[in-house]
Each structure stands twice: as C-alpha cells, then as structure tokens.
Amino acid sequence: MNHKKIESGCDHCPVHHKANLIRMGIKMDNFDFVTALAGNPNTGKSTVFNALTGLRQHTGNWPGKTVTRAEGGFIYNDLRFKLVDLPGTYSLLSTSTDEEVARDFLLFGQPDVTVIVADATRLERNLNLTLQVLEITDRAVLCLNLIDEAERHGLSIDDRLLSKELGIPVVKTAARQSQGIPELLRMIEEVATGKFVCKPHRIQSEPRPLKKALNTLSQKLKEYFPGLPNTRWVAMRLLEGDQRILEALQTGELGDLSRISLQDEAAPRLSGAGESA
C-alpha cells in the first residue's frame, strides 16, 4: 500500500490501523485512505455510498458476524479512497451487534475520515450519533443529506454555523440528485490529507464525581499508553464496564493503537507500554 505523504502540512497521513482493518476483513491493497460511512437508519446513507462509489462496490459479512458489510472505492485528486459503509445505528454504546461493529471499526480501525450522514429534516435526532462519533475520532465530515426535502418543508440550516459549533466540515447534499457530492468529495480529501484540521466539539457536562473519575482514569491511560487517541472516551467506556474495551486493555490492543499513533507522529517508540497494562 502506498503511504504517500501529502504536501499539506500533514506528515503522518494516513492514520488508519492497517492490521486491525485487515482483521476486520477490509482488504487494503492499492488504497491511500480509508473512509467510514456512519449514520442513523433511513438517512439516505446507502444513496450517499452509491453516489461516491458508483459500481465499484463489494458486499460480505463482518468476520464472525451476520451483519452485512458493504465497501467500495473512489479516486479523487489522484488519491485512492476505500469507503466502508458501517451498519446504520442510532448509538455507539455497543448494546447491539450493529453498534458494536460500527464502534469497533471507528476505534480500532481508525479510518482516516468518518462521514456522518444525517437526515436534514430530522437533524436534532441525528446529532446524538454525530456527537458520539466525535468522541471517538477527530477526523469527520457531517453530510446533511435530504437537504432538498428539508427545504421543501421550509427548514433552513446554517451549515457554516453548525460547522463552527461542531468543529468539523458540514456539507449539504441531496444524494439522489448528486447535489453536494462534489463538495463532499472535496471535504473528505481535505480532512484525509490534513488540509482541514478538525477540532471537534466534545460534551463535558458530567457530574463532578464522574468528571473527577474520568480525569483520573484518562490520565492513567495516557501514562500507560502514550499517544492513545480519545483517552477520555475510552475511560468512560471502562467506567461503564464495556467488555470489548476491557478486553482491549487486557490484551494490549490499546497499546497497539498508541504505538501506531506515536509512530505516525514520528515520536519515540514505546517500550512495552501495552504489556504493562
């Protein structure tokens, strides 16, 4: 695979964890970047997937799951993108197989960009998933799909203000008519290459005892796993007894993620941080 550096100030692209992606059944030959497609059911996510990939698509099941996986590819600005369509979910709290698959792909696969497809006619219902995704990754684009239907109902969305509030690009689309798809492609490329640096909004309104516990555990995670992304989110999952995250802690998989992150940033190598957990 060609891990080319992009002349954009981003010296550590791509960020995805290739070994985990392969374990998840994702073939990584001949692709520069990995893009995940997330969203609630009935947001037109499949239509966005088709608009981006055309006929370059494959379907199968996630390893060990009955959940269908769709993936495809597209080329933009001479860069090759692998697009993985995650199961439609309302949450990433891993209370169902679909949620577990989507959450694990975002955390352990570390896609270079996550496109969150939201229904512009029901935006308030879709922002819950958006904020959960932003707890896991700082590389995302919000796709406000069905914008034509929203406008037909007299709804107006200030995408610039929403982008400022969320800290990520926001693109209005009507995928059935290919409206907004060129702009969506451009923003995917800019986030993947580091031309657009996301600064995602993260909710921090927990009760004081929980916030104290989160800060303490998050600091411990940073000490054991330097470079581990989203330590605060991992700490929250550990406090909630999330079995998949506990397993990743015990097996050293979290250490693998921290090593990948540090290597991407050309930082010193770890010396057994994962094993010490």
Side-chain angles (χ1 to χ4, degrees):
M1 176 180 169
N2 179 15
H3 282 208
K4 64 177 72 173
K5 288 187 179 181
I6 309 300
E7 298 299 328
S8 63
C10 179
D11 294 324
H12 49 90
C13 299
V15 300
H16 57 256
H17 191 169
K18 184 177 179 181
N20 272 345
L21 289 171
I22 292 173
R23 281 202 294 270
M24 292 172 179
I26 308 300
K27 295 182 179 179
M28 290 307 305
D29 295 336
N30 302 318
F31 285 95
D32 300 302
F33 296 102
V34 178
T35 300
L37 200 60
N40 292 174
N42 304 314
T43 58
K45 186 162 64 71
S46 294
T47 308
V48 173
F49 178 80
N50 292 334
L52 291 173
T53 62
L55 298 176
R56 297 178 295 277
Q57 303 172 5
H58 301 279
T59 59
N61 285 349
W62 295 88
K65 311 289 183 184
T66 57
V67 179
T68 301
R69 181 185 77 248
E71 61 181 73
F74 61 89
I75 297 174
Y76 185 82
N77 276 353
D78 295 324
L79 296 171
R80 296 159 298 182
F81 291 81
K82 167 85 77 174
L83 182 64
V84 180
D85 188 13
L86 301 180
T89 62
Y90 294 103
S91 168
L92 295 178
L93 298 182
S94 193
T95 58
S96 71
T97 303
D98 285 357
E99 291 175 6
E100 179 185 350
V101 165
R103 190 279 304 277
D104 286 356
F105 188 85
L106 294 179
L107 179 61
F108 298 108
Q110 294 186 301
D112 301 292
V113 188
T114 299
V115 177
I116 310 159
V117 182
D119 180 350
T121 69
R122 298 176 175 84
L123 184 57
E124 71 285 353
R125 297 183 185 179
N126 289 241
L127 286 179
N128 178 49
L129 179 67
T130 301
L131 293 173
Q132 288 186 32
V133 170
L134 294 182
E135 287 287 342
I136 301 178
T137 178
D138 59 1
R139 291 177 174 237
V141 177
L142 178 60
C143 170
L144 291 179
N145 196 35
L146 304 174
I147 194 65
D148 52 335
E149 293 187 17
E151 291 171 350
R152 244 190 331 266
H153 286 87
L155 299 175
S156 177
I157 299 175
D158 189 335
D159 52 317
R160 291 187 178 182
L161 178 60
L162 186 57
S163 176
K164 181 179 179 181
E165 291 292 327
L166 293 175
I168 62 173
V170 175
V171 181
K172 295 179 178 179
T173 67
R176 283 176 296 189
Q177 290 78 38
S178 295
Q179 177 184 335
I181 296 301
E183 174 68 6
L184 180 59
L185 286 166
R186 183 173 71 85
M187 295 316 305
I188 290 172
E189 187 259 350
E190 290 198 5
V191 172
T193 60
K195 295 175 186 175
F196 188 107
V197 178
C198 300
K199 297 179 180 179
H201 171 80
R202 299 212 167 125
I203 297 175
Q204 300 197 27
S205 57
E206 302 90 357
R208 185 174 297 178
L210 175 57
K211 184 175 292 187
K212 182 177 179 181
L214 274 175
N215 290 339
T216 300
L217 184 52
S218 180
Q219 187 58 43
K220 289 291 184 183
L221 287 168
K222 289 177 182 178
E223 292 173 6
Y224 278 104
F225 306 113
L228 177 68
N230 42 61
T231 54
R232 183 177 172 277
W233 184 87
V234 173
M236 177 66 85
R237 300 281 75 77
L238 288 171
L239 288 174
E240 292 182 350
D242 188 305
Q243 289 302 310
R244 178 67 180 93
I245 305 301
L246 284 168
E247 177 189 337
L249 176 66
Q250 293 164 352
T251 63
E253 192 172 357
L254 290 180
D256 291 340
L257 293 183
S258 68
R259 278 190 287 272
I260 291 293
S261 180
L262 282 173
Q263 288 168 4
D264 286 339
E265 296 171 7
R269 295 179 63 186
L270 292 181
S271 55
E275 291 76 14
S276 65

